[in-house]
Amino acid sequence: MLRGEKVLLRARRDDDVAVLHADLYDDVATRSRADGRAWRPIPPGSPASPFVPVPPGDDAAIFSVVRLADDELAGDALLWSIDTHNRSAHVGISLRPSMRGGGLAVDTVRVLCHYGFRVRGLHRLQLETLADNQAMIAVAERVGFRREGTLRQNSWVAGEFLDEAVFGLVTDEWAG
């Protein structure tokens, strides 16, 4: 388990799935903005849920986020597309609606950076978000990520193409 100031990142448990699926997947509008894949109806309890625990692999590190103040499940966090040759990975988080706005996202990204840089020995972390997602952009900048560019009309969301902002952070820039 990895501990920050406000969150704990731990392995996904079977009892996390229903909560994460209901709060983070079944909200079609939000899920469509957070995931580049098309939303499809997946019934609760299905083994196809994106939150079902999977065996650890070299290309992804998947965590459940727990709020330390009350041990409540707060969301999902991961390093994905881990490239051990180039020592890089992508950062992803999604917090339950009731958990947003209290500083958990900043702490979660900081803990993911610690894990990526100090535990996994990665050199570069990348974060992508829709260019209008001011909350995630603020989180990235507070942690030290630098905006590297815009992928114009890169994401198909609710019937239109939207720009995506790309942020990067390398180990010698990280203040952790």
Side-chain angles (χ1 to χ4, degrees):
M1 291 187 281
L2 302 167
R3 184 178 298 272
E5 293 177 13
K6 297 182 177 191
V7 299
L8 174 76
L9 302 188
R10 62 162 170 75
R12 179 75 36 82
R13 297 179 185 161
D14 290 333
D15 57 341
D16 296 341
V17 177
V19 173
L20 294 174
H21 192 90
D23 282 1
L24 300 178
Y25 190 80
D26 285 343
D27 178 351
V28 179
T30 300
R31 183 67 182 191
S32 296
R33 290 180 53 81
D35 192 325
R37 297 168 291 190
W39 185 90
R40 290 180 169 82
I42 298 174
S46 169
S49 171
F51 302 106
V52 169
V54 295
D58 289 335
D59 63 342
I62 301 168
F63 301 96
S64 286
V65 180
V66 176
R67 183 170 57 189
L68 287 172
D70 57 7
D71 290 327
E72 189 170 349
L73 182 63
D76 176 51
L78 69 154
L79 292 183
W80 56 279
S81 195
I82 298 173
D83 179 337
T84 56
H85 176 73
N86 291 302
R87 296 177 44 206
S88 64
H90 296 258
V91 172
I93 71 164
S94 187
L95 297 179
R96 298 171 57 205
S98 63
M99 299 291 174
R100 297 175 189 155
L104 300 182
V106 170
D107 198 39
T108 299
V109 173
R110 282 186 180 136
V111 174
L112 283 173
C113 289
H114 169 80
Y115 176 73
F117 292 137
R118 299 294 184 252
V119 177
R120 295 294 293 260
L122 299 176
H123 176 71
R124 173 186 163 76
L125 295 175
Q126 183 168 312
L127 185 151
E128 302 90 4
T129 189
L130 293 177
D132 65 354
N133 187 347
Q134 295 304 315
M136 193 63 221
I137 290 169
V139 167
E141 290 173 343
R142 280 193 61 195
V143 174
F145 282 80
R146 293 184 186 180
R147 188 172 188 146
E148 296 180 332
T150 301
L151 301 174
R152 297 177 319 119
Q153 298 184 12
N154 193 58
S155 295
W156 177 252
V157 178
E160 64 180 321
F161 284 103
L162 300 177
D163 292 349
E164 196 170 49
V166 178
F167 292 83
L169 179 65
V170 294
T171 189
D172 52 344
E173 296 171 344
W174 183 57

